[in-house]
Amino acid sequence: MGQREDLLAGARRCLVEKGYAHTTARDIVAVTGAHLGSIGYHFGSKDALLNAALLETFDAWGDAIAAAVVAEPGGAPLDRLRRFLDGILALAPEQRAILVASVQAYAQAEFAPEVRDQLVVSYAASRRELAALVLDVAPAEVSAEQARRYGSLALAVINGVVLQWMLDPGAAPTADDLVRAIEGLAAGER
């Protein structure tokens, strides 16, 4: 691994252990053994390095979901959503560090256009893929309206349940709770 990759790995480690706001350039070089000037040489600044590391952790969470959560075809759309959410919640404990770093990416998006731009691209792809999962079709078959409607709903539910789980795993809703709430609202229940 080269010095650039070492710095990225060190920045990811610091994000997990200290958080974005509490990580200094000295923290990163302490875990990598690199020289302080190498951050500027390879990334321009500590913030640019941390932003690159944030994007990698965000992508790692997406990859972990894709690898660990396989929705079975068939069944009703809400059943597929339920199985998908069950898989995400089952994966969350072992991926907590990545989740925490990913949440930090959202906060940085307000201040770092490159982070915002990457999240916009990631979300566009995620909407289409999640709509395809819920509708049980190939992503290429999902219309822009379906991606906006069904993919956005799935993303909102995923983000919301993950944030609730991160704060208080015992009080977070289950996949069944969420799907039953959607079904209840659709049926006009109170």
Side-chain angles (χ1 to χ4, degrees):
M1 191 175 348
Q3 190 172 51
R4 186 177 199 288
E5 292 78 21
D6 288 345
L7 287 168
L8 275 169
R12 284 191 309 271
R13 180 174 164 191
C14 288
L15 284 171
V16 168
E17 293 175 0
K18 295 177 168 271
Y20 191 102
H22 300 287
T23 296
T24 67
R26 292 190 190 286
D27 293 329
I28 297 167
V29 297
V31 299
T32 63
H35 294 285
L36 197 55
S38 63
I39 292 174
Y41 176 78
H42 289 288
F43 293 93
S45 69
K46 175 203 70 156
D47 288 343
L49 169 56
L50 286 174
N51 291 341
L54 276 176
L55 292 174
E56 284 190 1
T57 59
F58 193 82
D59 289 344
W61 171 236
D63 293 345
I65 290 172
V69 182
V70 178
E72 299 170 20
L78 284 176
D79 290 335
R80 285 190 300 282
L81 179 61
R82 179 185 288 118
R83 289 190 304 263
F84 182 71
L85 291 171
D86 276 336
I88 288 173
L89 289 169
L91 178 68
E94 71 185 53
Q95 298 293 328
R96 184 173 182 86
I98 289 176
L99 284 172
V100 170
S102 295
V103 169
Q104 292 177 76
Y106 295 116
Q108 279 311 110
E110 185 66 25
F111 308 102
E114 66 277 9
V115 173
R116 180 192 307 254
D117 293 346
Q118 183 59 43
L119 292 178
V120 166
V121 169
S122 293
Y123 263 51
S126 293
R127 279 189 208 82
R128 182 166 300 282
E129 291 167 10
L130 289 169
L133 176 127
V134 170
L135 298 171
D136 198 20
V137 299
E141 297 176 42
V142 174
S143 70
E145 176 63 21
Q146 290 170 320
R148 187 182 67 77
R149 184 180 301 167
Y150 303 117
S152 294
L153 173 64
L155 265 175
V157 171
I158 291 164
N159 288 341
V161 75
V162 166
L163 286 173
Q164 290 180 64
W165 177 87
M166 286 176 61
L167 293 172
D168 187 357
T174 66
D176 193 52
D177 292 335
L178 295 167
V179 170
R180 286 185 18 226
I182 293 169
E183 290 171 330
L185 286 172
E189 295 176 7
R190 292 181 184 236

